[in-house]
Every structure is written in structure tokens, then in C-alpha cells.
Amino acid sequence: MLDIMDDLRKGCPWDRKQTFDTLRHLTIEEVYELSDAILDKNFDQIKEEAGDILLHLVFYGKLGEEQGKFDMADIADHISEKLIKRHPHIYGDVRVTDADEVKRNWEKLKMKEGKKSVLEGVPRSLPAMIKAMRMQEKAAGVGFDWPDKASVWKKVEEEMAELKRAEEQNDPAAVEDEFGDLLFSLINYARFLGINPETALEKTNKKFKRRFEKIEAEAGKQGKKIHEMSLEEMDAVWNREKKDEQ
């Protein structure tokens, strides 16, 4: 891989033009493609997309080397040292009882390393739902958390009522604010259920797409455009598809 990257930087006009900035959005795209493959449980695709991400990591190593900042060995050494330091229950004499305790220790160790906030490591550019989940997890890791699932659901119901009141008062700014609070509390509840809300929503997106495309296909069979179907006809196809899936 390193030899190939050397060849590409020397001989390929496209690869020679790339910088950290030009690769950034492409790397994000590759990660989402890997995410799709994982949700589809397509192992051939997972292998391919993981390889694409590996290429990007090697590319960043090459760019760092060219600028005299770091190389692939530095990247590997840095993560190795961090993993050893943050796993004292493996490489030291610390004892842990479960994965939750490992996560709590991880956040405490990060603070000892000079982090000013436990939320500091949450990327600013993360999608809002993932960012909310990560912030909640990190806050919980240092003890700022609900005592139990029932308390979280009570908060969800409270936020639903506040959203309804804001809607009744015809206050658009308050409606948006309360809607955000409701989503945040539902994400928290998903965490207590052991559900990844991003994964759950994406599975629902895929389900909606599959069922809606069945409606489009049925319209085609009837020689119609989808907008020419009545809502009742659309619902009938939707419910039939739902029943078939079950």
C-alpha cells in the first residue's frame, strides 16, 4: 500500500493534486458507504469499503510525510501508545467489572491528559443525531446521567407536552426549540434501551424507501404516474407490502 501510494503521488495527475482539504469530503463519503454496507450486512462490500478507507488513511500519512509533519509510522505509533495508556486494565494493574466501567475510565483518563471538557472530543461536524448521542454517552461516563429508564421516559413525555403547548401558543421559535428538546430526550431514551438511534432511523428510512418504491411500481403496472393514484390506493399497496414483510 505504501509503495503504491508513492507511485500514485509520482505518476498520477489526479493523485498528485490531492490535499488534506480535497480528500476530507471524500473520506466522509467513504465512511458513509461503509456504514451502508454494514447495515446491509454485505460482507464483500464491507471489505471493499474498509479498503477504500484504508487508502485514505495511507494517503493522509503520505501527505503528512511530504510536509514533514508525520508519516504512517507516526500514526500507528500514536494510536498504539494511546490504546496502551487508555487500557490500564489490560496493560496495567487496574481491575474492571464490565464495559461500562471501561468507558468511564476512558473518559477520566482523557481528562487527565489535559482535556478541558469531556465533550471536547465530539467533532463539531458530526450529524446532529450522532452528536447528541455521543455527548450524552460522554456525560454519562462521568456520572451525569438519569438514574433509570423510567425517569428518561418521564422526560420524553414532559417534552412532548411542552411541544404541544408551544404549538398551541403559535410560537414558531418555541416549537422548534421544544421539538429539538423532544428529539434529544428520545435519543437519550434510545441509549437506555440499548438502541443506536441513528441506526434505527436509517433502517426506518430504508423500510420507507422500499415500501414507497412498491407503490411506484404498482402505479406503473396500472399505467399511471404515482401522483395519479389516490391516497387510498397508495395506502392499500403500503399495507399489503407491510403485511408481506411481517
Side-chain angles (χ1 to χ4, degrees):
M1 278 292 295
L2 297 176
D3 289 341
I4 290 170
M5 180 52 62
D6 288 343
D7 293 340
L8 296 179
R9 286 295 281 181
K10 289 175 187 173
C12 176
W14 186 88
D15 287 285
R16 281 203 306 267
K17 283 180 61 177
Q18 301 315 306
T19 66
F20 286 108
D21 290 332
T22 62
L23 285 175
R24 175 183 173 274
H25 75 280
L26 297 175
T27 306
I28 293 170
E29 183 179 325
E30 294 294 353
V31 172
Y32 277 109
E33 288 178 359
L34 174 61
S35 174
D36 284 344
I38 291 171
L39 286 176
D40 293 340
K41 292 183 172 56
N42 186 329
F43 291 100
D44 286 338
Q45 199 71 26
I46 291 171
K47 178 179 66 176
E48 181 177 340
E49 301 303 341
D52 289 345
I53 291 172
L54 178 59
L55 168 63
H56 280 241
L57 299 180
V58 170
F59 216 138
Y60 290 127
K62 181 63 177 177
L63 292 171
E65 180 183 348
E66 291 173 352
Q67 296 180 28
K69 302 297 184 183
F70 58 83
D71 60 17
M72 281 304 296
D74 294 324
I75 292 173
D77 285 342
H78 185 268
I79 186 61
S80 297
E81 290 170 5
K82 182 161 69 173
L83 288 171
I84 291 169
K85 194 182 301 180
R86 299 226 183 131
H87 288 79
H89 54 289
I90 302 295
Y91 300 103
D93 55 6
V94 172
R95 296 288 177 265
V96 295
T97 56
D98 55 27
D100 288 337
E101 191 173 355
V102 172
K103 287 170 68 176
R104 288 192 295 271
N105 287 345
W106 182 282
E107 296 300 337
K108 290 174 185 175
L109 287 166
K110 286 173 70 173
M111 294 301 289
K112 287 181 181 178
E113 291 169 7
K115 300 284 186 184
K116 294 179 181 178
S117 168
V118 295
L119 304 181
E120 198 173 304
V122 180
R124 296 189 305 275
S125 55
L126 271 181
M129 181 175 289
I130 300 174
K131 186 187 292 185
M133 182 178 65
R134 293 297 292 132
M135 289 194 300
Q136 291 169 3
E137 288 176 341
K138 286 180 176 292
V142 292
F144 187 72
D145 204 4
W146 295 92
D148 51 49
K149 186 170 63 176
S151 300
V152 186
W153 182 250
K154 186 176 179 181
K155 182 64 175 174
V156 170
E157 293 179 321
E158 177 187 316
E159 296 296 352
M160 288 174 67
E162 290 179 3
L163 173 61
K164 190 64 179 175
R165 278 198 299 274
E167 187 181 5
E168 290 168 352
Q169 292 166 3
N170 197 26
D171 185 341
V175 168
E176 182 183 55
D177 187 56
E178 297 300 343
F179 189 82
D181 289 349
L182 176 58
L183 282 179
F184 194 85
S185 61
L186 281 169
I187 291 166
N188 228 343
Y189 191 62
R191 185 169 60 86
F192 272 76
L193 292 174
I195 294 170
N196 184 306
E198 175 74 17
T199 300
L201 181 58
E202 182 56 19
K203 286 181 177 179
T204 296
N205 287 340
K206 287 178 177 290
K207 181 167 59 180
F208 180 89
K209 182 175 183 289
R210 184 173 63 248
R211 293 177 184 175
F212 189 80
E213 287 173 346
K214 287 288 186 179
I215 297 173
E216 291 177 312
E218 182 62 29
K221 288 178 185 177
Q222 296 178 18
K224 298 179 179 178
K225 301 292 186 184
I226 188 167
H227 64 268
E228 296 172 335
M229 293 182 76
S230 68
L231 182 58
E232 290 75 15
E233 289 175 310
M234 293 182 187
D235 276 342
V237 179
W238 179 281
N239 290 327
R240 186 169 67 244
E241 178 62 17
K242 181 178 178 180
K243 185 177 180 181
D244 288 345
E245 289 171 3
Q246 290 171 345

